[in-house]
Amino acid sequence: MFRITLLSALLSVLLPLTVTGLPSHADPAIPRVPTKRDRTPYQLKPPPLDTPWTSKVGTNPWPEHPRPRLFREDWLSLNGIWGFEAFNRQEDVPASPPQVVALPQEVLVPSCIESGISGIMRLDVMHMYFARSFKIPSSWKRNNRVMLIFEAIDYEATVYVNGQKVGFNRGGYFRFSFDITEFIKLGESNELQVFVFDPTDTTGYRIPKGKQTLRPSHIWYTPCSGIWQSVWLESVPEHHITDLDLVADMNGQVTYHVYTSTNESTPVGISMFEAKSDSSPGQGNMVLTHKAVSNQKGTAKLASPKLWTPDSPNLYTIKIKMGEDEVTSYTGFRTISSGTVKGVKRPLLNGQFVFQFGTLDQGYWPDGIHTPPTLEAMVYDLQLLKKIGMNMVRKHIKIEPDLFYQACDKLGLLVIQDMPAMDPNVDLPPSAEQQVEFERQVDLMVSQFKGYTSIVTWVMYNEGWGQITSPDYPEFRIAERIRQLDPTRLVNAVTGWNDHGAGDFHDNHHYADPQCGTPWSSLASTPYDPNRIGFQGEYGGLGHVPAKDNLWPIEKAVNDINQTYEINIDLPSYHYRSHILFTLLKDQVAMHSCSGAVYTQTTDVEGEVNGLMTYDRRVVRIDIDQWRDDIRALFEAAKGRT
C-alpha cells in the first residue's frame, strides 16, 4: 500500500510507481504522445491512500465503450497518455495552442489532475493544457463524418484540432462533442489540444461543483479538474442518429423519438430483442419490429414484456437502423409514478409501492478523486449494496459516467440522482446569471441520463445549497421544467430543508436517528406533508475510526474526524447502534408514512469515517448478516402497509 503525507504527495518526494497497461482499443498506427528529451514521463504518483485497483489502472484506462445507450462499431478511444502543462495565471497561457511536443509533462486521461492516478497530483491549478496526437483508422469510411466526444471535463474547455479552434464547452459533468471532419488530415498524424479552466470555489465564481473545494475540510473534499471522463472518436454517416429518447412502460408501450443530424423525416427500423437471463443487455430472440420516422415522436407495443424491477432487472436490446447508420441501445420496461396506498402518498414502481432503501453515494476515490480507478472498482461498490439487500442508491451531488447507470440497470438498483450543487458557503444568493447557468445544467443532466431505466427520481437542491430561498421560489419552476423534459420520473425539489412545498417528496435529513414521515420533526425540517411522499433523504452517519492503514492520512482530515455525526469507540458499539437505528426506522415504516430512506454512506470519504466500507475499500465495516436481516425487516414492514 502507498502511505505518504500530503506534503510528500504534492511535492512528489517519494519515488512513483511505474505502471503498464494492456493494448489500447485503437488502430495500431495511432501514435503515443511524441517524446521530448526533457518531458517528464507519466508515472502513477503514490496517492495518500490507495485501493486494490490502483496498481491495475495502467496506461490504457477505461477502455470500455463509454456510451452504452447509443453504440456504434466504429469508435476509437483516445484515453491514455497525453501531454500536459499547468499555468499559474491566465496571462501565462500561450496565445495559441502549444504543440504536443512542447508540453513538459505527461498525464493520464481520464483522471483528475489532483489525483495520484493522473501522475500530476496538484491542488493549485486553474489553467491547463492537455494535448495528444491521433490518426484516423484506415478502416473507417472516407465519406463519413468524424465526431470528437468528451464525456466530461471540469470545468470549461476550449478544444483545438491541428491548431484550429473547433469549439467551447462549460460544465463539469456532461458529455459534449464536435464534428471535426473539416479539421483533420486523413492518413496523417493530427494534434488535439484542450485548454481547461477550472475555478472550483475561487472567489468571484459560483458554479455547480458538488463537494469540491480547494480547501478540503470535513464534508468538503479534494476537487477534480481536467479531463476526468473518457475521450473518444466516432465515425458516423453524413445523415446520422444523434440522440434517442426511449421509454418503455409496464404495459409494454414503447415511446420513442429518434433525433438526427438533419430535420429530415427519414424511415427508421426499430428491432427489439428479448432480455437475456443474466440481465445483461445482450441480444436474445427478436420480440418486436417496428417502422418509425426520424425526428418524430412515436409509439410501439410489446405484449407481455418482462418488467424491470430490483429483483428482476430485465433489459431488452434495441437496434435502430436509419439509412447507412445503425446504433444499438437497450431499455427496461417499468413505470415510475406516485399514488395513494391505504391513505398514504407513496412512490410506485409498476403500480406497486416499493420501499426504497440504500446509501448516500459520494463517488469519491482516494486514488482517483472523481474518477474510479477501473470499471471493476466502480461496480464493486454497487455490488456490496445489492449483497446486503439494498434496492436503491442516492448519487449525491455528483454525476457519474454513463457506465455507472448501466451497471445500476443491470444490477437492479434504483437511482436517486442529485444535481451537483453550487457553493453554499457564500452569504449572497446566486446571481441571475449564475442561476440561469445552474438551470441550464439541470436540463443537461436530465436530457443526458433520462434513458437509464434505473433512475427513478431527480433531486434539485440538497440542504439549501445554492438555493434561492425568497419568493418566487425557483424550485417550483425548475420542477415543472424537469417534468416537461422527463414526465416519466418523480422530482425531489428539496432534500433536507428550505422546503416550500415543491416536488413529489417531503424529504428531511436527521442524524443519527431517522425522522421519516413522522408526526414530529427537527428544527431544521418542516412537519411532514401528507400530500407528498414521506422520505428520509439522509440519516445514520454512524462513525468508527479505522486502522491507520485504512485512513486518509491528511492531517486536516484526521483532525476533522470528530465532526462525523456520531463516533463509536469500537465495532461492537457500532453494530449495536446501527441495529437500533434500523429498529427505529422499521417502526416509522410500520406506524407512520415513511416510504424510503438513505443511509449515510457507502464509504468513508477523506475525514468522514461513517461508511459501510473504509475509503480504500479494503475493510467492510458493517456486520453483513445483521444488515441483511435488518434491511429485510424494513421491506417486510413496508409490505405490511400495503
Side-chain angles (χ1 to χ4, degrees):
M1 299 183 205
F2 307 124
R3 298 291 181 267
I4 59 177
T5 65
L6 178 60
L7 180 61
S8 298
L10 298 181
L11 298 180
S12 307
V13 171
L14 298 184
L15 181 65
L17 173 69
T18 302
V19 293
T20 57
L22 300 173
S24 171
H25 180 95
D27 189 297
I30 291 183
R32 180 185 168 92
V33 175
T35 58
K36 182 184 178 185
R37 183 167 296 174
D38 59 351
R39 180 190 298 279
T40 302
Y42 170 74
Q43 288 185 309
L44 183 148
K45 287 186 180 293
L49 186 69
D50 71 347
T51 72
W53 302 273
T54 307
S55 61
K56 299 179 181 179
V57 172
T59 54
N60 177 39
W62 289 87
E64 299 84 8
H65 186 276
R67 192 185 61 195
R69 285 192 55 255
L70 205 66
F71 173 84
R72 291 184 179 88
E73 293 291 342
D74 289 338
W75 74 282
L76 177 67
S77 175
L78 296 185
N79 294 344
I81 305 297
W82 290 49
F84 177 81
E85 185 170 8
F87 302 91
N88 293 327
R89 303 173 304 169
Q90 177 68 49
E91 47 266 39
D92 298 329
V93 178
S96 58
Q99 292 184 328
V100 177
V101 294
L103 298 184
Q105 290 181 273
E106 290 186 342
V107 64
L108 192 69
V109 170
S111 65
C112 307
I113 65 162
E114 295 83 356
S115 71
I117 285 174
S118 72
I120 305 299
M121 204 155 66
R122 288 182 56 180
L123 301 178
D124 58 348
V125 178
M126 289 176 61
H127 313 276
M128 63 207 88
Y129 255 109
F130 298 78
R132 66 157 294 158
S133 300
F134 67 91
K135 287 184 73 173
I136 302 300
S138 57
S139 60
W140 286 6
K141 293 181 180 179
R142 297 186 68 86
N143 62 338
N144 271 14
R145 311 298 294 181
V146 176
M147 304 300 296
L148 170 63
I149 305 167
F150 297 89
E151 290 300 305
I153 295 179
D154 199 339
Y155 175 70
E156 293 182 354
T158 306
V159 180
Y160 304 84
V161 173
N162 293 323
Q164 300 181 72
K165 181 179 176 180
V166 299
F168 170 83
N169 184 75
R170 176 179 290 119
Y173 297 92
F174 307 107
R175 177 186 303 121
F176 62 98
S177 63
F178 303 111
D179 185 336
I180 61 169
T181 310
E182 308 306 325
F183 301 90
I184 58 175
K185 299 173 286 189
L186 296 177
E188 300 181 42
S189 180
N190 298 274
E191 289 204 347
L192 168 60
Q193 300 110 331
V194 183
F195 174 69
V196 176
F197 169 69
D198 185 9
T200 309
D201 51 8
T202 301
T203 301
Y205 295 93
R206 201 170 188 187
I207 63 177
K209 66 181 181 69
K211 291 196 169 185
Q212 300 180 65
T213 180
L214 298 171
R215 297 165 289 277
S217 173
H218 185 39
I219 64 168
W220 309 102
Y221 313 137
T222 303
C224 175
S225 301
I227 307 173
W228 72 278
Q229 289 192 31
S230 291
V231 186
W232 50 296
L233 297 173
E234 185 177 43
S235 175
V236 299
E238 180 81 29
H239 185 202
H240 60 274
I241 297 166
T242 57
D243 204 356
L244 173 66
D245 281 350
L246 190 66
V247 177
D249 70 19
M250 58 182 283
N251 299 312
Q253 178 160 294
V254 181
T255 304
Y256 59 82
H257 195 142
V258 180
Y259 298 90
T260 69
S261 53
T262 72
N263 291 323
E264 299 174 12
S265 297
T266 305
V268 174
I270 300 176
S271 302
M272 180 176 287
F273 299 85
E274 193 173 39
K276 285 190 172 182
S277 59
D278 63 357
S279 298
S280 67
Q283 186 172 328
N285 297 324
M286 182 183 292
V287 295
L288 176 68
T289 59
H290 180 74
K291 293 182 179 180
V293 177
S294 67
N295 299 304
Q296 294 182 21
K297 190 174 182 179
T299 61
K301 189 70 179 284
L302 175 65
S304 303
K306 297 177 181 178
L307 299 186
W308 186 95
T309 71
D311 294 330
S312 300
N314 297 300
L315 298 172
Y316 287 74
T317 299
I318 296 173
K319 290 189 177 293
I320 300 174
K321 178 131 175 71
M322 183 190 72
E324 296 181 359
D325 196 16
E326 183 173 359
V327 299
T328 301
S329 188
Y330 74 92
T331 194
F333 285 85
R334 60 100 181 98
T335 297
I336 306 298
S337 61
S338 67
T340 301
V341 179
K342 289 193 172 181
V344 179
K345 198 67 175 253
R346 300 292 194 184
L348 306 180
L349 173 64
N350 302 327
Q352 304 294 319
F353 167 43
V354 174
F355 186 81
Q356 300 178 15
F357 186 74
T359 55
L360 192 76
D361 193 77
Q362 310 270 13
Y364 272 77
W365 298 82
D367 48 10
I369 313 300
H370 269 190
T371 307
T374 65
L375 176 63
E376 177 190 11
M378 183 178 73
V379 174
Y380 174 82
D381 285 4
L382 301 174
Q383 289 172 330
L384 175 66
L385 305 187
K386 286 292 290 188
K387 181 179 179 179
I388 62 176
M390 292 182 174
N391 67 353
M392 174 268 285
V393 61
R394 178 184 167 197
K395 178 47 61 179
H396 187 42
I397 53 177
K398 182 198 173 191
I399 291 170
E400 296 287 0
D402 282 46
L403 294 172
F404 174 91
Y405 304 98
Q406 183 191 39
C408 293
D409 288 349
K410 290 181 178 182
L411 289 169
L413 273 173
L414 306 170
V415 177
I416 297 172
Q417 178 60 57
D418 290 11
M419 175 62 195
M422 290 186 284
D423 192 347
N425 301 309
V426 180
D427 292 335
L428 296 174
S431 68
E433 182 181 10
Q434 291 165 345
Q435 183 66 23
V436 167
E437 179 60 24
F438 174 79
E439 294 184 26
R440 183 187 73 87
Q441 294 191 33
V442 170
D443 285 4
L444 292 177
M445 175 184 71
V446 175
S447 297
Q448 179 170 334
F449 296 100
K450 65 182 178 179
Y452 288 100
T453 304
S454 53
I455 298 176
V456 296
T457 300
W458 303 112
V459 177
M460 192 184 313
Y461 288 111
N462 176 76
E463 296 184 351
W465 296 359
Q467 179 185 359
I468 297 173
T469 57
S470 58
D472 294 323
Y473 306 115
E475 60 263 31
F476 286 92
R477 180 185 69 253
I478 302 173
E480 288 309 308
R481 171 63 178 167
I482 292 174
R483 289 191 176 103
Q484 291 172 11
L485 291 171
D486 179 16
T488 71
R489 290 180 175 85
L490 302 179
V491 177
N492 190 338
V494 176
T495 174
W497 41 83
N498 293 341
D499 181 4
H500 305 114
D504 297 300
F505 292 84
H506 177 269
D507 177 352
N508 79 326
H509 297 178
H510 194 255
Y511 290 97
D513 298 358
Q515 290 181 1
C516 183
T518 62
W520 69 89
S521 62
S522 63
L523 292 176
S525 302
T526 55
Y528 165 62
D529 176 3
N531 295 313
R532 291 180 293 156
I533 298 165
F535 206 80
Q536 184 75 64
E538 294 180 30
Y539 86 104
L542 301 179
H544 173 259
V545 181
K548 186 177 180 181
D549 283 350
N550 308 110
L551 185 65
W552 182 245
I554 305 304
E555 183 179 4
K556 173 62 175 169
V558 173
N559 291 340
D560 286 346
I561 283 176
N562 62 0
Q563 296 183 46
T564 300
Y565 305 104
E566 175 182 309
I567 294 290
N568 288 268
I569 195 169
D570 54 27
L571 284 177
S573 65
Y574 172 86
H575 298 325
Y576 167 77
R577 281 289 292 147
S578 64
H579 177 66
I580 291 299
L581 296 195
F582 271 117
T583 302
L584 292 172
L585 182 62
K586 180 186 68 174
D587 289 346
Q588 292 171 22
V589 174
M591 299 171 60
H592 303 299
S593 302
C594 182
S595 292
V598 179
Y599 183 87
T600 302
Q601 58 188 336
T602 307
T603 73
D604 294 352
V605 184
E606 300 191 4
E608 284 192 276
V609 292
N610 52 7
L612 309 187
M613 291 181 284
T614 53
Y615 196 20
D616 61 1
R617 275 72 169 176
R618 284 190 167 89
V619 178
V620 177
R621 179 179 284 119
I622 62 171
D623 181 323
I624 287 181
D625 290 336
Q626 173 192 307
W627 275 60
R628 270 205 203 102
D629 290 344
D630 284 337
I631 291 170
R632 189 180 301 115
L634 290 179
F635 292 128
E636 289 299 320
K639 286 181 182 178
R641 300 298 304 275
T642 60

